[in-house]
Amino acid sequence: MMRSSLHAVGVHALMAALVMLPSAAMAAGFNYLYIEASEGNSSGGHTAIQFGDEIYHYQHVDSGLIRLFRQEKAGFHFTYRYLQNRPMHLSRIEVSEDTFDLLKDQFKWQFLAQERQFKLLGDLHKERLFIRHLLQKATAGHAVVDADAASALRLKGVGLFYPEPGQQSQHTDSNLTKQQSLSVQSLRQKVEQRYGPDFLPRRRAMLEAQIKALAPSHWPAIDSDSAGDKFPAPIYSFTERYSDSLTALFAIKALIDAPPLRSDALLLTNRPAFKVSETERRILQELRNDLEARLVKALDSNRPDWGYAVLVNMARYIAIDASLQSGYWVFIDDFAENSERVRPEQYLEHSARIRILTSDAKAALNQVRLSAASRLRLTESEYSQIEMAANRYTELLNSEQRHDFRYNGEKALPSKSIGFPDGPVPNLTPEQLTTALSALDNLENSLLETLQQNYRYDLLSRNCVTELFRTINQALLSPYRSGDEPADLEALTIKESEKRLGGYVEIPYNFVPFVAYQSVLDRYHVTESRDLDSYRGLELAKLSASQNDPITALRESNTLSSRLYQYNPDDALFVFFTDDNVLLRPVFGLVNTGAGIGQSVYGVFSWPMDSGKNLQSGATGILMSLPELFFFNMRKGSYKYLSFNQLSHAGLLDDRFY
């Protein structure tokens, strides 16, 4: 009887499995995203494709090319829906596991290939600048410093201890500088105990000889592959070898000379919130010992970038020593040198949001400190998190005194740099340098022409929409690449798209984002669609639910009386939001156009004071408002100072569907 029951159960289970086979084969899916038009990046609308938590999208960059970017899901939604205040429309497209893997792998491969290609272009450009720099010194006795070379030819980490070439050193008060020098001397003694008293002079002499013997790299022919079938081979360039060797030489010099940190490299704190507890004192002492051991070991490392690691560990060793001496946390400034700086007139109207961001930074700092204290251990990675949170927190605190502050740009490792100094330099003749420079000019031009041919941006034929579908089509054809090329690629693409996606989207007729989105809805196997509101839309819905009256609607229809929007100087001046009322959109657009004209006229007179900022903003306002005369919404405003943590805690960045 039991055997009969088991047999029946088995039959039912098999039948259920057979019934579920088709749905299992269609269990995978990806999201197609359409972001509505607005002022700023991708002003005419934007598209993206999402696989799990990763989102890929193409963007036009300053070089005139179009590049593929990869972004984490929550960060993408935070940027577009909340900071840029743009509604998003999402369609779920159900496909087989095989098709999902083809698409995901193609986008990943394309992204990595482009990253390598553009890095190669950047390396070639830097190499050419460096050889031109050496040639000028060899022929004229000095190099002509231009903005391009000054920003590219830099030694990362050296600026923690040494000033820009030609500038005077600036340090903190004498007691602190003396203490820092003693910390470095202590490190030097540990090095000499490990390797001997003559190790540092020998290492310095070896590095100087190594620099003088450097020769330009032999660059391979440029591969013009555009489909991402091959990654460009990485090159350890002449400039990188010089930079690494010279950075290492500065690290040795710092250990021998024992200079204090530069004043702008050190972040001193004296608030009660930064007081070092007894538990933190113990874990900081252990971390200092770990840094000391790593630093001593790195000096004899075969890693090419060991000099930068030594400089960072020295700086942190000094900061930890200062923390233990003073009883208050001391940190290294870890902001990038091109960090965005905001002025009081840009943020004063947003003081409430700045206070939330300050609270977020303080909470992040306390969380990592408490975690380390509870485990009685502080790893170098956790110390980096504390360093970043402390930098952000103290920078935001400047807003309380209405000072300028750096809004973003914290880095996991401090990177203060200086420009290339006068020497030492490789022993190369002007003839050698001229030959190398000529070859590099040809290579850079060749690669740039290839990238322009493959990734040149065009508003109609190569934009964020067309390249997204072009990559989808490349993925669908990937199973056929290993054999002979099919006679009719277009017919095969259509066939594969219809079989795998449910239909085919013709690229030439779908270059406009909202048109392409409608085509996806009509032709692909879309199982579900959602309209995801912008930040203002969500807030307006909550306000309408509690205060559903004409006065509230009138108040929130414009920027002058709105309580949900404070003017952001990054937005061109406008008066009416045009996303709420379709019938009145042309009238509102006319007023917004007038506001843009008014700002432009004012900008003509304010040009000497603001370098044309008002004139440019007014022109942008006119350009963005004209489509509204034809019922096309553009003016939405943006929310620069929103809190990611606040939105995350409210569940607005944790929707499993998107």
Side-chain angles (χ1 to χ4, degrees):
M1 189 70 176
M2 180 173 287
R3 181 178 296 175
S4 177
S5 298
L6 288 174
H7 176 73
V9 170
V11 170
H12 287 304
L14 179 60
M15 291 179 64
L18 290 172
V19 169
M20 291 181 66
L21 273 177
S23 60
M26 296 288 287
F30 64 91
N31 295 337
Y32 181 89
L33 307 174
Y34 160 53
I35 300 96
E36 289 190 14
S38 183
E39 182 184 342
N41 291 334
S42 307
S43 57
H46 197 45
T47 58
I49 193 167
Q50 176 185 340
F51 305 100
D53 287 338
E54 290 182 341
I55 291 179
Y56 293 89
H57 58 115
Y58 283 92
Q59 277 195 335
H60 179 208
V61 293
D62 291 339
S63 59
L65 304 178
I66 187 163
R67 290 190 59 177
L68 182 61
F69 290 85
R70 181 172 64 187
Q71 213 169 336
E72 188 270 330
K73 175 181 69 176
F76 184 86
H77 282 261
F78 180 64
T79 298
Y80 283 95
R81 288 181 59 204
Y82 297 100
L83 296 182
Q84 294 186 16
N85 192 40
R86 300 166 73 166
M88 188 181 296
H89 306 275
L90 178 152
S91 287
R92 181 77 170 175
I93 301 162
E94 202 167 85
V95 294
S96 67
E97 290 282 356
D98 175 53
T99 300
F100 179 87
D101 290 339
L102 282 177
L103 291 168
K104 183 178 180 181
D105 291 347
Q106 179 64 38
F107 275 91
K108 181 179 180 180
W109 194 265
Q110 180 77 1
F111 169 75
L112 294 175
Q114 272 199 11
E115 287 287 292
R116 189 75 68 83
Q117 288 168 337
F118 280 94
K119 183 184 184 304
L120 187 62
L121 180 64
D123 290 346
L124 271 170
H125 183 63
K126 188 182 291 186
E127 189 98 323
R128 187 173 62 80
L129 290 173
F130 179 48
I131 292 179
R132 189 184 70 182
H133 170 86
L134 292 176
L135 183 59
Q136 289 171 343
K137 289 188 68 175
T139 55
H142 66 279
V144 178
V145 180
D146 57 51
D148 199 6
S151 63
L153 305 179
R154 303 193 67 79
L155 299 176
K156 191 170 64 170
V158 178
L160 294 167
F161 292 93
Y162 295 98
E164 287 282 352
Q167 293 184 3
Q168 295 294 320
S169 294
Q170 294 179 357
H171 301 299
T172 50
D173 65 85
S174 58
N175 290 332
L176 190 55
T177 57
K178 182 179 179 180
Q179 177 187 316
Q180 292 178 41
S181 294
L182 290 173
S183 296
V184 179
Q185 290 171 25
S186 174
L187 282 172
R188 187 177 67 225
Q189 289 172 3
K190 297 293 190 301
V191 172
E192 291 172 346
Q193 289 171 9
R194 172 77 176 268
Y195 301 114
D198 63 339
F199 172 79
L200 291 175
R202 281 191 294 106
R203 195 76 158 124
R204 179 169 62 182
M206 184 188 73
L207 286 166
E208 289 173 346
Q210 183 176 302
I211 289 171
K212 291 177 181 178
L214 287 173
S217 303
H218 296 287
W219 292 81
I222 299 300
D223 187 350
S224 61
D225 174 79
S226 64
D229 292 333
K230 297 178 182 177
F231 288 147
I235 297 291
Y236 187 33
S237 70
F238 174 49
T239 310
E240 287 176 318
R241 286 182 280 131
Y242 176 75
S243 298
D244 285 339
S245 298
L246 195 54
T247 301
L249 189 61
F250 269 104
I252 297 294
K253 176 178 169 60
L255 279 167
I256 292 173
D257 297 344
L261 289 162
R262 286 182 49 79
S263 58
D264 61 352
L266 206 59
L267 181 65
L268 301 173
T269 64
N270 55 8
R271 288 174 172 248
F274 285 103
K275 191 168 181 60
V276 177
S277 68
E278 284 304 315
T279 302
E280 289 176 333
R281 176 175 292 276
R282 290 197 296 273
I283 60 178
L284 280 175
Q285 287 170 339
E286 290 184 13
L287 179 60
R288 181 184 61 180
N289 294 338
D290 289 344
L291 285 175
E292 182 183 279
R294 277 196 289 271
L295 186 148
V296 172
K297 185 178 180 180
L299 285 165
D300 200 31
S301 170
N302 292 323
R303 280 183 52 174
D305 61 345
W306 65 264
Y308 173 58
V310 167
L311 288 168
V312 170
N313 281 344
M314 279 179 62
R316 285 179 167 174
Y317 183 92
I318 290 171
I320 291 171
D321 247 3
S323 300
L324 294 171
Q325 292 284 340
S326 67
Y328 290 90
W329 285 84
V330 176
F331 298 101
I332 302 302
D333 186 325
D334 67 4
F335 273 87
E337 288 154 306
N338 60 349
S339 298
E340 179 188 6
R341 185 175 289 275
V342 295
R343 303 180 305 277
E345 61 268 24
Q346 294 175 286
Y347 67 76
L348 282 179
E349 290 189 27
H350 306 269
S351 297
R353 297 196 189 279
I354 298 295
R355 285 195 294 272
I356 293 172
L357 294 175
T358 306
S359 177
D360 287 348
K362 183 179 180 181
L365 173 62
N366 290 337
Q367 183 178 359
V368 186
R369 287 175 63 183
L370 288 171
S371 174
S374 65
R375 293 182 293 103
L376 299 178
R377 178 164 177 76
L378 181 63
T379 64
E380 190 173 1
S381 173
E382 288 171 329
Y383 182 79
S384 289
Q385 294 177 44
I386 292 176
E387 188 177 65
M388 290 174 67
N391 270 265
R392 180 161 178 77
Y393 177 47
T394 54
E395 199 68 26
L396 285 166
L397 284 174
N398 286 326
S399 65
E400 295 181 355
Q401 283 76 44
R402 299 192 174 187
H403 295 159
D404 292 5
F405 67 87
R406 291 170 293 183
Y407 182 56
N408 53 33
E410 314 94 287
K411 304 183 73 174
L413 290 174
S415 61
K416 285 191 179 297
S417 64
I418 66 168
F420 282 10
D422 289 336
V425 294
N427 284 333
L428 296 167
T429 65
E431 292 74 21
Q432 289 174 302
L433 294 169
T434 301
T435 301
L437 186 60
S438 177
L440 282 171
D441 284 341
N442 294 332
L443 277 171
E444 185 181 3
N445 289 335
S446 174
L447 179 58
L448 186 57
E449 286 175 9
T450 299
L451 295 180
Q452 286 174 338
Q453 180 182 352
N454 296 334
Y455 307 123
R456 185 192 71 256
Y457 174 80
D458 184 272
L459 180 62
L460 303 182
S461 62
R462 274 188 176 169
N463 61 27
C464 66
V465 187
T466 63
E467 296 313 288
L468 199 72
F469 286 110
R470 193 166 281 122
T471 307
I472 289 174
N473 292 342
Q474 288 172 353
L476 300 179
L477 292 176
S478 59
Y480 300 93
R481 287 180 190 155
S482 56
D484 295 333
E485 185 173 303
D488 192 340
L489 284 176
E490 184 177 359
L492 182 60
T493 302
I494 295 172
K495 178 183 175 182
E496 286 295 306
S497 184
E498 289 174 344
K499 181 179 76 174
R500 293 179 178 274
L501 302 176
Y504 176 66
V505 174
E506 295 178 276
I507 295 175
Y509 307 108
N510 289 277
F511 60 88
V512 178
F514 73 85
V515 174
Y517 180 66
Q518 188 60 51
S519 295
V520 167
L521 291 174
D522 294 340
R523 295 166 193 175
Y524 282 175
H525 188 253
V526 175
T527 57
E528 190 173 358
S529 293
R530 288 184 63 184
D531 297 327
L532 305 172
D533 220 335
S534 65
Y535 176 75
R536 179 175 174 272
L538 291 170
E539 293 299 304
L540 196 58
K542 288 194 293 186
L543 194 62
S544 298
S546 60
Q547 303 176 20
N548 192 8
D549 59 75
I551 295 177
T552 300
L554 180 63
R555 186 189 70 208
E556 296 301 328
S557 68
N558 65 89
T559 61
L560 303 177
S561 60
S562 175
R563 295 179 185 175
L564 297 178
Y565 173 82
Q566 289 83 40
Y567 176 62
N568 175 10
D570 291 344
D571 299 333
L573 184 66
F574 71 103
V575 178
F576 286 104
F577 298 99
T578 60
D579 49 350
D580 304 329
N581 197 317
V582 178
L583 292 177
L584 290 177
R585 189 170 292 165
V587 178
F588 288 172
L590 188 63
V591 177
N592 288 339
T593 304
I597 294 172
Q599 189 177 21
S600 297
V601 172
Y602 173 73
V604 172
F605 296 100
S606 66
W607 183 297
M609 296 175 287
D610 64 11
S611 302
K613 184 177 179 181
N614 269 299
L615 182 60
Q616 181 181 4
S617 182
T620 301
I622 296 171
L623 185 65
M624 292 296 106
S625 299
L626 286 175
E628 297 171 337
L629 302 178
F630 304 95
F631 295 93
F632 192 77
N633 167 240
M634 293 292 291
R635 312 313 299 274
K636 297 176 174 68
S638 61
Y639 292 84
K640 181 173 183 172
Y641 302 106
L642 288 179
S643 162
F644 182 93
N645 286 346
Q646 188 180 48
L647 294 172
S648 182
H649 291 155
L652 297 177
L653 295 171
D654 191 30
D655 190 320
R656 292 183 181 180
F657 181 73
Y658 68 69

